Amino acid sequence: MYTVAQLIGGVWGAGGAGGELVVHDPADGSPVTTMPVATADEVAKAVEAAREVAAEWAAAPPAERAAALHRAADAVAALAEELAQATTAEMGKPLDDARGGVAAGIGTLRQYAELGLVRGGRTLHGAHSALDFMAPEPRGVVAAITPWNDPVAVSCGLLGAALVTGNVVLYKPSERTPATGWLLARALDSALPAGVLSLLTGGGRVGAALAEQDVDVVAHVGSTATGRAIAAAGARTGAKVLLENGGSDPLVIDADVDPVWAAKQAALGCFANAGQICVAVERIYVHRDVAEDFVDALVDRAEALKRGPGRDPGTQLGPLVDRRHRDHVHGQVTAAAAEGARIRTGGEIPEGPGAFYPATVVVDCRHEMALVREETFGPVAPVVVVDSFSEGLRCAADSPYGLAATVLTGSMSHAHRAWRDLPFGTVKVNAVFGGAPGGAAQPRRGSGQGFGYGPELLDEFSTVKTVHIEAPGGGHW
C-alpha cells in the first residue's frame, strides 16, 4: 500500500486538507494507494512558493541545470523497478511494458540534459556599431498535468524539458496513478534545489484549480474535454497552453500488403497496453482485396493474446484502468453492434473481479459510427472495408482529431501521398509504432496544440528576448 505525500515549497507532507482518495488495483479491486487531495488554497500557496524560487532557478547556469537533470535521471534509474511495479498496480499495464515506460522516461531526462546544455540563441546582423541577438529565457512557473496511461515516460518529457530550460514546475499526476507520480517526484526532488519542483495530488478539481492560477505555462496530456477547459482557463489568465489530447488514430491498409503482416501491425496498434495509448490504432480502413484474410488473421491474433493481471509474467493484455472506463469501451462496442456491426471476437465483459476486457474485433463497421469516429481508448479494432487507397485516405482524414495516422503500403508513391495528404501531426508508414529519437509530435485540431517531445519542446517552455546594444554616441566599440 502506497501512502502519497504532497510537496509544496520544498516541504514534503504539506497540505491535503481536501480529504483523501484511494486508488484500487484494476486487476482485482484491492486498495493500492492513498493520496491527499489539495484544496484550492493549497494550490494557490504552491504557486506562490514556486514564484519565490523561480528567479533563482532561471539564473542558474545551463550547465548546472543540465547536471541536476542528469542526477535526477540517476535517481529515477535507482527507483526504476519500484516505479514500474507501482504503475502496474495502479493502472494495470503489463509489467514489461511498465518497465519500458520507465526506461523511456530516464532516456528522455538524459536527452534533455544534453540538449539543454548546448542550446543557444541567435545572433542578428545589424549595424557595425551595434550588437543584436535573440536569447531564450525560461517562461517562469509551469503547471504540468499528466495522464495515467504512461505516467513515467510522459511526465519525464514535460518535467525534463521544463526544468532544464530554467522553469519551476508544479506537477499534478493523474489521480489514477498518484503513487507513480509521487515516487517520480521524490527522485527528481532529490536532485533539485528545494522548491523547484512541487507535487500536488487529487482529482480533476485540483487540476482545474491549478489551471486557473497565475502560472506562465499549463502543459496537459489527457482528454480533449479537459484540454479544452484548460485552454479556456489559459485564455483568461494569459498562460501559454500546451496540449496533447484525445485521438482516433486511423490505420489505412493498401491492397498490395501481406494481410497476415498487416494483422500483426494492427494487433500491436490496437491491443498494446489494452489500447490505452495516446497513439493507439482506433479505426482500420482495409482494402477490399485483402480484407477477408486480414480480418481472419487479426481475429487469430486477438484470441491468442495472453490475458491476465499485468504483474503476471507473460501477460500481453492487462485490465483497463477501471470499471468506469470499461463501461465506456463496452458501450461503444455494443452501440456499434446495435447499428449493424458484427463482433468477430471479444465484446463481452468477463466474469470475476477487476476491469478486464478482451481484445475485440468488430467488422462491418461504417465510417460514421461512434466506435469509428470517437476515441475508444480500449482493446478494440473496428474494421471498415474500402474499395480504394484513395477512399481509405479520405476516411482517415475525415476526423475531428489530428494526433497520428499509420499507412501500410508497398507503394512508394502511395506512401508519399499519404504523409502529404493526411492532416495529422505524425504519419507513420509500415509501422504502427516507432520513430527516431528526438521526434517532436505536433497534434492538430481536437488532439491539441504545441510541440510534444523533441528539441522543439524546449522552445515551447521558453520565451525569446531580442536585444539591441549600440555603442555610446553611435561610435564604434
Side-chain angles (χ1 to χ4, degrees):
M1 189 80 173
Y2 300 98
T3 303
V4 168
Q6 294 191 126
L7 173 63
I8 299 176
V11 178
W12 280 103
E20 184 179 87
L21 291 177
V22 178
V23 176
H24 295 85
D25 188 329
D28 59 18
S30 62
V32 173
T33 305
T34 61
M35 65 171 163
V37 177
T39 65
D41 285 344
E42 290 166 359
V43 171
K45 289 177 181 178
V47 174
E48 182 180 352
R51 283 277 177 220
E52 292 176 359
V53 300
E56 184 177 355
W57 181 241
E64 181 180 319
R65 298 198 297 257
L69 204 58
H70 271 305
R71 293 194 301 271
D74 292 339
V76 175
L79 284 177
E81 183 61 21
E82 190 173 357
L83 279 163
Q85 295 278 355
T87 299
T88 296
E90 289 189 314
M91 59 75 57
K93 183 191 287 285
L95 187 55
D96 283 347
D97 288 353
R99 288 169 176 153
V102 175
I106 295 167
T108 299
L109 291 176
R110 297 202 189 283
Q111 175 187 2
Y112 283 135
E114 296 296 330
L115 289 172
L117 185 62
V118 299
R119 186 164 170 268
R122 183 156 64 93
T123 301
L124 306 174
H125 296 289
H128 290 294
S129 61
L131 176 64
D132 293 86
F133 59 92
M134 298 171 68
E137 295 182 334
R139 288 186 173 271
V141 177
V142 171
I145 303 172
T146 61
W148 49 264
N149 61 313
D150 201 357
V152 178
V154 174
S155 295
C156 285
L158 294 180
L159 300 182
L163 290 166
V164 82
T165 48
N167 300 281
V168 295
V169 178
L170 300 156
Y171 174 38
K172 194 274 179 191
S174 168
E175 64 273 23
R176 288 166 166 166
T177 52
T180 306
W182 168 66
L183 290 168
L184 179 61
R186 282 173 50 191
L188 296 176
D189 178 60
S190 71
L192 296 167
V196 169
L197 177 71
S198 294
L199 175 70
L200 295 165
T201 57
R205 290 184 179 180
V206 177
L210 188 52
E212 292 285 355
Q213 286 293 320
D214 180 25
V215 298
D216 300 292
V217 181
V218 182
H220 170 257
V221 178
S223 73
T224 294
T226 300
R228 286 173 174 160
I230 288 172
R236 292 189 293 271
T237 65
K240 177 173 182 174
V241 176
L242 299 177
L243 303 172
E244 184 193 297
N245 296 151
S248 182
D249 291 0
L251 170 63
V252 179
I253 301 172
D254 208 349
D256 61 354
V257 301
D258 176 1
V260 176
W261 168 75
K264 180 180 179 181
Q265 288 290 315
L268 179 62
C270 293
F271 305 141
N273 197 27
Q276 300 170 128
I277 299 176
C278 298
V279 290
V281 171
E282 295 262 352
R283 50 196 173 112
I284 300 169
Y285 302 99
V286 58
H287 195 287
R288 190 174 300 278
D289 290 355
V290 294
E292 183 176 353
D293 290 341
F294 165 78
V295 169
D296 288 344
L298 182 57
V299 169
D300 289 343
R301 289 238 166 222
E303 293 176 346
L305 289 174
K306 183 178 179 182
R307 307 167 193 173
R311 58 183 174 270
D312 289 357
T315 291
Q316 297 169 290
L317 186 69
L320 294 174
V321 68
D322 57 31
R323 289 194 170 196
R324 182 182 64 178
H325 182 52
R326 183 175 71 177
D327 290 343
H328 159 73
V329 172
H330 187 60
Q332 285 197 346
V333 171
T334 55
E339 294 171 10
R342 187 162 49 93
I343 300 171
R344 278 287 305 268
T345 189
E348 295 182 352
I349 293 178
E351 295 182 358
F356 292 95
Y357 199 75
T360 299
V361 178
V362 186
V363 299
D364 298 338
C365 291
R366 300 188 305 278
H367 176 63
E368 64 270 16
M369 287 178 172
L371 180 65
V372 177
R373 293 193 61 78
E374 297 177 8
E375 184 175 44
T376 302
F377 221 60
V380 180
V383 180
V384 179
V385 176
V386 295
D387 291 313
S388 67
F389 184 72
S390 296
E391 182 185 356
L393 289 186
R394 284 197 305 271
C395 290
D398 179 25
S399 173
Y401 299 105
L403 195 55
T406 305
V407 171
L408 307 182
T409 181
S411 165
M412 185 61 75
S413 64
H414 280 187
H416 281 291
R417 181 181 164 196
W419 75 256
R420 287 192 176 98
D421 290 356
L422 289 172
F424 295 84
T426 300
V427 176
K428 296 161 285 183
V429 178
N430 293 336
V432 292
F433 298 134
Q442 190 177 35
R444 303 180 185 185
R445 303 191 303 277
S447 292
Q449 61 189 38
F451 278 104
Y453 311 107
E456 288 81 0
L457 186 55
L458 300 178
D459 296 333
E460 297 283 11
F461 284 117
S462 304
T463 188
V464 174
K465 182 175 288 181
T466 301
V467 181
H468 172 76
I469 304 175
E470 282 199 21
H476 294 283
W477 291 99

